[in-house]
Amino acid sequence: MNRFRSILLMFLGVVLGVIPLFAANIFMRDFVYKQGEQHLEQSAQRTLKHSEGLIQLAVDVFSALPHYQVLECGDELQSRFRAMVLRHTTLHDVGLVYNGEFMYCSSLKESTRFYPTSDVVIGSVPHLSYVAVNDGETGKNGVLVKWAISDAVSLGGFILVDAFNLEFMQNEFADLFRMTVSLTNSAQIAETSPESRLLKRAPFSLVKLDPAWTENLITYQQESDRYPITVSVGVPFQAVWDAFSGAMNVINGLGILIGALILIFFMRISLRKPGQYDSIEQGIKRKEFIPYYQPIIDIQNGRLAGCEVLVRWRKADGSIVSPGHFIDIAEASGLARPMTSLLMEKVAQDLSVSYSRHPHLKVAINLFNRHFDDLGIVSEIEQTFGNSGVRFNQLVFEITERQPLENLDRARAIIARMQKLGVRVALDDAGTGHGGFAYLQKLGMNIIKIDKLFVDAITSGCDSVPIVDSLRQMAKGMDMVVVAEGVETEEQLDYLRRTGIDEAQGYIFAPPLPARAYLELVGALGGDANQLDDQETPLIISPDSLVTMPKTQTA
């Protein structure tokens, strides 16, 4: 009996000893796998952001040219192409492309023949296309980005493979990871792998593929929502496991088995930071998102026209976080909608008294694509501002082009209901996003806002800026108010005033201001036209200080 009891206790001891070890091994494998995936995700996102920046640079260069007509090749055009390449060194070549393969009038040489190594991919914007190519003269590979300006001729930007930096990887895995950047048709643009890196270091050596480099890989893939490119990255599981071998040594110590498991569990819980989605959601519940107000100036008469509401995250410790750190996640996750509701409530509170005294002032609030899924936004506007001192005709709602509207007919019906209240609607960042001029034609906008990207093209001594001039002419033809964003220099302000732009905002006038500073500004400048005729026009240089400058002459 005692012997049986001893055997049973020994058996139970073995079972109780093996189960925790087995559980610890499963736990560690899961932990290591997730850690590897997180590292790969971070690397893929950084690489994708860099790759998107390369393509965006080419698109920005195209946008600065008069792409609405076929350009004539000549010394002047070649000089402009050459200046663009010198300014943006990641672009290897810029020129005109005939029939998708023959580049002429380029920044580098008279002509170049490209040999496609993939099929052409059309992105979300029909006039932009992408194809992997080989430079027939130099033999260099890369991607050719084309902006069609006729059936046969396109603006082309050639980006070398070398410009795609594929070294965004943690040091622990820097020798064994592999990564590719491809078009969405699986055509490879750039790649790096252990064998390719060894060949680069020792080009004349014989590199033998180690099976450990390709076996049991942890992989991750990230696809761009802006351009037809995909980043794929992988690393051997064993490499990640080796990086965490120290933790396994602790767990395998039988004397501290249970304590080690509990410690690791609680360490994992305590060290795990809340996801940014959860943080934003909690910030909305705690009403930490507040409006800042950037003044909008009528540059034809120098008077205050109103403001645009820009969100800031004021955390519990008093720190202020700019929207660049959270707005993309809020927009993608749907949290931008309750965030906007919170902002509208705060705007109604902040401006109610002041705007009731100054009915000519406006306040512009940004909406997102999900606001146009149903009529809920119209009811929300009525409930929020219906009993406030801010009248409906003082409200401007801006539609951004960063995310496309899924149903333009539905969006038009919602906008019409908003306009029936007296609300005006503006197209924000015109010409930079998905909708383009189709939004202007179909959605019945009242205001068009010229993005800072195009305002930056205004330099000292320039006689014309095609994009700005085209937007102004089109808007005036549609009886729309034109507002320029991101104005920072006297040269930009002078050009915009001379060419008939109605209003402007930017740091030359004022940065985004907290409510108190903006209301002080309204108190100083918010009077009607008769009150302002004999006053000076303030130039704001900080949220807390005003410097008066003599009123400038209008164009």
Side-chain angles (χ1 to χ4, degrees), residues 5 27 129 153 163 166 175 205 208 217 258 265 276 279 359 375 440 467 486 491 498-499:
R5 181 180 179 185
F27 168 79
S129 61
V153 178
L166 305 186
D175 292 331
S205 63
K208 185 177 180 181
L217 292 179
I258 302 300
F265 174 79
Q276 194 163 4
S279 298
L375 288 169
L440 294 176
I467 297 295
E491 290 82 4
R498 283 189 290 106
T499 53

Side-chain angles (χ1 to χ4, degrees), residues 163-451:
F164 292 86
N165 186 352
L166 305 186
E167 301 303 323
F168 293 113
M169 178 54 66
Q170 297 291 329
N171 291 335
E172 297 93 332
F173 323 127
D175 292 331
L176 297 176
F177 82 99
R178 56 185 62 242
M179 180 183 292
T180 61
V181 178
S182 308
L183 296 175
T184 50
N185 62 0
S186 300
Q188 182 175 292
I189 299 175
E191 68 88 23
T192 184
S193 63
E195 53 269 30
S196 67
R197 290 192 293 273
L198 284 174
L199 281 173
K200 185 178 292 186
R201 294 171 191 165
F204 301 106
S205 63
L206 181 61
V207 176
K208 185 177 180 181
L209 181 65
D210 188 336
W213 295 346
T214 57
E215 290 179 353
N216 199 16
L217 292 179
I218 303 175
T219 59
Y220 183 83
Q221 183 170 292
Q222 182 85 28
E223 186 172 335
S224 171
D225 57 1
R226 297 169 57 192
Y227 304 111
I229 55 174
T230 300
V231 173
S232 302
V233 59
V235 68
F237 175 85
Q238 188 61 45
V240 188
W241 179 270
D242 292 342
F244 293 93
S245 60
M248 280 304 301
N249 291 333
V250 174
I251 293 177
N252 288 331
L254 295 178
I256 56 173
L257 176 65
I258 302 300
L261 287 174
I262 296 174
L263 178 62
I264 290 174
F265 174 79
F266 281 102
M267 283 182 61
R268 187 181 183 192
I269 297 297
S270 62
L271 293 177
R272 188 179 67 182
K273 296 181 179 179
Q276 194 163 4
Y277 174 91
D278 297 329
S279 298
I280 294 173
E281 188 174 35
Q282 291 301 314
I284 293 173
K285 291 179 180 178
R286 292 192 293 264
K287 298 188 176 181
E288 293 177 349
F289 293 93
I290 60 173
Y292 267 46
Y293 303 90
Q294 184 165 41
I296 299 174
I297 306 299
D298 186 328
I299 60 176
Q300 296 303 324
N301 58 31
R303 303 186 182 104
L304 181 67
C307 64
E308 178 183 355
V309 173
L310 301 171
V311 65
R312 295 292 185 269
W313 188 353
R314 184 172 60 196
K315 293 194 171 183
D317 60 4
S319 61
I320 301 295
V321 181
S322 63
H325 292 85
F326 59 83
I327 198 66
D328 288 340
I329 294 176
E331 189 173 351
S333 64
L335 290 175
R337 190 159 182 174
M339 185 184 296
T340 303
S341 301
L342 178 61
L343 288 179
M344 289 198 299
E345 292 175 5
K346 186 61 177 170
V347 168
Q349 295 172 10
D350 289 345
L351 304 185
S352 187
V353 175
S354 179
Y355 268 45
S356 66
R357 297 171 181 168
H358 306 291
H360 63 286
L361 295 181
K362 65 182 177 182
V363 55
I365 302 172
N366 285 285
L367 297 182
F368 302 92
N369 61 330
R370 295 194 184 185
H371 280 107
F372 296 91
D373 291 340
D374 53 61
L375 288 169
I377 182 61
V378 181
S379 301
E380 193 172 343
I381 293 170
E382 291 180 297
Q383 293 172 7
T384 304
F385 295 100
N387 295 319
S388 76
V390 181
R391 299 169 176 83
F392 290 134
N393 61 11
Q394 292 177 286
L395 294 171
V396 176
F397 286 96
E398 299 183 4
I399 301 174
T400 178
E401 291 190 80
R402 287 182 298 182
Q403 295 291 338
L405 295 174
E406 295 181 357
N407 189 321
L408 287 183
D409 291 330
R410 181 174 58 203
R412 177 67 192 107
I414 294 171
I415 289 172
R417 291 286 295 273
M418 293 167 60
Q419 291 171 328
K420 191 174 181 180
L421 294 176
V423 170
R424 287 171 288 174
V425 181
L427 177 64
D428 194 15
D429 305 329
T432 63
H434 296 271
F437 303 128
Y439 281 12
L440 294 176
Q441 296 171 344
K442 191 156 188 175
L443 299 182
M445 302 288 184
N446 307 106
I447 299 169
I448 185 171
K449 301 195 75 173
I450 300 176
D451 188 75

Side-chain angles (χ1 to χ4, degrees), residues 505-534:
Q505 64 188 86
Y507 275 70
I508 191 173
F509 305 115
L513 305 172
R516 178 187 58 80
Y518 177 66
L519 292 175
E520 289 178 359
L521 178 64
V522 172
L525 292 183
D528 58 28
N530 293 329
Q531 291 175 319
L532 286 171
D533 282 340
D534 298 326

